Amino acid sequence: MKLPLIAAAIALLSITGAANAEEHVVQMLNKGDKGSMVFQPDFIRAAPGDTIKFVPTDKTHNAEIIKGMIPDGAEPFKGKASEEITVTLTKEGVYGVKCAPHYGMGMVALIVVGKPVNLETAEAVKQIGKAKPVFAELFAEATKAASN
């Protein structure tokens, strides 16, 4: 008798967790609030289990993980150009995202899921072109958010 009750409780908790998950929508734009070739927003605070939907508002953009900028054990993702991609992030940490065709132009984003457990490792990854100053701003925001 107890086993079915435990199974029902676990099922209810998993449904409740999924119901509490939030969806964050990120636009991939040729021109946005911070200039040209941007993710908007480019800094996202999420909880484990939240989904991030990257929407190619303008064509020729994609969203993919930057090597070395993902928590241990997390699944990397790589979207196709001009296609929407939705990812569910379950591992706590920092996720660095780029648009491959416009990476050097600074089209990058930073997602912090829960605690930024890999912040130092992600920050140590070498960046190219305009991605370097954009990430400097995003990491400053992540550090500030982590201290609150």
Side-chain angles (χ1 to χ4, degrees), residues 45 143-148:
R45 276 210 50 90
T143 301
K144 182 180 172 185
S147 65
N148 290 338

Side-chain angles (χ1 to χ4, degrees), residues 47-138:
D50 283 1
T51 59
I52 315 293
K53 182 181 354 180
F54 294 93
V55 179
T57 307
D58 295 316
K59 295 190 184 299
T60 74
H61 301 296
N62 82 322
E64 64 182 78
I65 284 294
I66 297 171
K67 187 177 180 181
M69 297 182 75
I70 186 170
D72 287 340
E75 280 293 315
F77 59 87
K78 181 178 182 177
K80 294 180 180 177
S82 303
E83 289 188 15
E84 186 176 292
I85 180 174
T86 301
V87 295
T88 301
L89 304 177
T90 58
K91 298 283 185 183
E92 285 192 319
V94 175
Y95 296 75
V97 180
K98 68 179 178 181
C99 169
H102 305 111
Y103 179 35
M105 297 173 77
M107 190 166 179
V108 295
L110 194 67
I111 304 166
V112 178
V113 177
K115 297 176 186 166
V117 295
N118 62 323
L119 183 63
E120 288 180 14
T121 304
E123 199 168 3
V125 172
K126 299 247 186 251
Q127 302 299 331
I128 63 170
K130 287 186 179 179
K132 190 174 186 175
V134 173
F135 267 127
E137 289 179 23
L138 296 174

